Amino acid sequence: MSDTVLPDWSKLDSAAALAGNPLAGRDLLRLLDLSPQELHLVLSTAVAQKAAWAQGVVTAPYAGKAVGIILEKPSMRTRVSFEVAASRLGAHAVVMSDSNSAFSRGETVKDTTQVLERFVDTIIIRTFAQSKLEEVAHWARIPVINALTDSFHPCQGLADLLTIAEHKGDLSTLKLAYVGDGNNMAHTYLEGGALTGMHIHIATPPGFEPDETIVAECRAAAAQTGALLEVDHDFAAALANADVVITDTWTSMGSEAEHDERLAAFAGYQIDAAAMAQAAAGAIFMHCLPAHRGEEVTDEVMDAPFSAIYDEAENRLHAQKALVSLVLAQ
Ligand code: CP
């Protein structure tokens, strides 16, 4: 993109190269907080940093900075990838999880947030309601990053777009099929399509559709890229000619009590070898993990040569390191 400035990470030894970037000091509460150009900046920064790290370039532009990571739901990938990203940037990560979560003692969101911002330079939070994340962002005078809510998972979205670009090239020419629950990942792929021009086809069982308001917001945003965003119940139509096939758990965090009911409702939406055979030649499979092997996806697909699941997980680190690099800049 012509109006973004990508730092030369092979020469970077201070935060100076990142100063003044359009995301400095900004929040990321959902992907639609970004313009297409800003999304490109995050992804291209991740590509540059990943290549530099692979070549042995080690810099610590944010030595002395701290990031606060609040986890009100379980996490492995998000916690580890943010902690390691902070470490690679020279920053210290403070993790507050479960019973030690910053919000576990009933203090108001305002008090907690405005104390935390005296200690740390950005707040990364996994919580339930998007409205709580928005309240944190309202009170914070430092960047706030969504590490998953019931509505969105933008950091996973950044990693997934990076992974798709690495495997399949120009996002605007691709079709992504997401089959399964119309959950926070479905919303995030719709946002990613709207920003990149990628054709997104979401197929869910009846009763598990994405949020109508979010779909409408994504379709409005898609006007800037021309992305086709389809949402229906048609498993076969979603898979037809798909370059990328994605599913997610049928029982998201907080829905465990509905597990048996959901298994029945999602019958016929499993990604197995026969489903992958309906996609385009050379299609890849992705899953944000953790997967429930034998439910939404078979072992055969998870472990196939076309499965990009571990590249996708690794890219959490690279995408989030780029994001933190950009928002922490002065
Ligand atoms: N994909 C993802 O967010 O993984 P965790 O729940 O392990 O963080």
Side-chain angles (χ1 to χ4, degrees), residues 223-242:
Q224 61 193 323
T225 59
L228 174 60
L229 306 180
E230 297 184 276
V231 179
D232 57 33
H233 309 301
D234 196 334
F235 183 80
L239 292 173
N241 300 313

Side-chain angles (χ1 to χ4, degrees), residues 30 32 128-131 134 149-152 178 180-191 202-220 229-233 262:
R30 57 189 290 186
L32 284 190
F128 294 84
Q130 186 76 6
S131 58
E134 290 167 354
T149 63
D150 293 342
S151 300
F152 302 105
Y178 172 90
D181 193 12
N183 62 11
N184 50 7
M185 286 312 308
H187 297 156
T188 299
Y189 293 125
L190 288 167
E191 295 200 324
I202 307 278
T204 73
F208 296 91
E209 297 84 2
D211 182 279
E212 281 179 12
T213 301
I214 293 170
V215 174
E217 290 168 349
C218 291
R219 287 197 168 126
L229 306 180
E230 297 184 276
V231 179
D232 57 33
H233 309 301
R262 282 173 169 259

Side-chain angles (χ1 to χ4, degrees), residues 74-79 126 153 156 253 288-290 316:
S75 170
M76 186 275 273
R77 279 147 287 267
T78 302
R79 173 182 175 152
R126 167 169 290 197
H153 198 356
Q156 184 72 55
M253 287 179 277
C288 65
L289 306 179
R316 294 294 301 278

Side-chain angles (χ1 to χ4, degrees), residues 287-309:
H287 190 306
C288 65
L289 306 179
H292 295 76
R293 288 169 176 253
E295 294 187 9
E296 73 271 12
V297 60
T298 61
D299 285 334
E300 190 180 17
V301 170
M302 287 283 282
D303 300 324
F306 55 73
S307 172
I309 56 173

